[in-house]
């Protein structure tokens, strides 16, 4: 027969109840922390999904025409990139509570992703232009036209290259 150690059995039901409530409280706090962590993961995924979606849209319609250098490639509405318009619209809609309290936060996250796609594309364009101007300057060409003096971009370029 198995022996029972009577010292591990609570002497009263109050002790057993307190132990149960303590464990239930710990479990509830753990569930709350897990829920907060999952909320952060979902938010990050929504932002990344928005950035990917609008980047893919611009990539699908990105066909620059060398014959028209002033024409902006990609999808534009009234000359503004679609990801910028959609991002601003989704964020404003989220702040105004469009879609109710359940969906407005998700709209804001997708809007942040759309704006991230736009700023990434904007930065890529400036980086490409900056690199092209540096190459032209290194080859002895001019990128400023008739403007005299160094531009801020040239000054930054000189600092990065270590020139005086």
């Amino acid at each position: 027969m198995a022996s029972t150690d009577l010292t591990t059995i609570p002497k009263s039901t109050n002790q057993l109840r307190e132990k149960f409530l303590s464990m239930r409280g710990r479990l509830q706090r753990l569930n709350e922390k897990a829920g907060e962590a999952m909320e952060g993961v979902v938010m990050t995924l929504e932002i990344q999904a928005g950035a990917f979606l609008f980047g893919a849209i611009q990539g699908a319609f990105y066909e620059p025409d060398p014959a028209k250098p002033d024409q902006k490639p990609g999808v534009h509405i009234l000359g503004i990139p679609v990801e910028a318009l959609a991002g601003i619209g989704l964020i404003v809609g989220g702040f105004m509570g469009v879609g109710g309290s359940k969906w407005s936060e998700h709209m804001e996250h997708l809007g942040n992703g759309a704006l991230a796609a736009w700023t990434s594309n904007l930065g890529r364009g400036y980086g490409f232009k900056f690199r092209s101007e540096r190459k032209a300057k290194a080859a002895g060409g001019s990128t400023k036209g008739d403007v005299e003096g160094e531009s801020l971009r040239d000054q930054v370029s000189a600092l990065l290259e270590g020139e005086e």
Side-chain angles (χ1 to χ4, degrees):
M1 288 198 177
S3 67
T4 305
D5 187 6
L6 296 177
T7 58
T8 60
I9 298 174
K11 296 190 185 329
S12 72
T13 57
N14 283 340
Q15 288 177 333
L16 184 60
R17 183 176 183 275
E18 287 175 16
K19 187 92 164 160
F20 172 76
L21 291 175
S22 172
M23 292 302 288
R24 191 169 76 174
R26 288 181 190 169
L27 184 60
Q28 187 177 12
R29 286 190 297 277
L30 181 65
N31 281 337
E32 288 174 6
K33 287 189 181 232
E36 290 172 5
M38 284 305 298
E39 188 176 332
V41 168
V42 168
M43 177 185 71
T44 301
L45 289 174
E46 288 173 340
I47 292 171
Q48 296 304 311
F52 178 82
L53 173 69
F54 286 99
I57 289 170
Q58 286 294 30
F61 293 97
Y62 189 84
E63 294 184 26
D65 186 1
K68 301 176 185 175
D70 294 333
Q71 181 183 10
K72 301 174 185 175
V75 181
H76 292 77
I77 298 173
L78 300 174
I80 302 171
V82 71
E83 65 264 32
L85 286 175
I88 292 169
L90 286 166
I91 289 174
V92 168
F95 282 140
M96 293 176 59
V98 174
S101 61
K102 181 178 179 181
W103 298 105
S104 62
E105 189 173 325
H106 300 289
M107 288 176 61
E108 291 175 32
H109 298 161
L110 290 172
N112 282 328
L115 288 179
W118 175 60
T119 53
S120 174
N121 195 26
L122 189 65
R124 184 181 306 111
Y126 278 112
F128 180 77
K129 185 176 178 182
F130 182 74
R131 183 185 66 165
S132 299
E133 289 178 358
R134 280 183 53 191
K135 282 184 178 179
K137 184 178 178 184
S142 175
T143 61
K144 294 182 288 249
D146 296 328
V147 180
E148 294 183 19
E150 285 190 342
S151 69
L152 179 61
R153 182 176 287 144
D154 292 335
Q155 293 172 13
V156 170
S157 176
L159 287 173
L160 291 174
E161 293 173 356
E163 298 175 1
E164 294 292 324

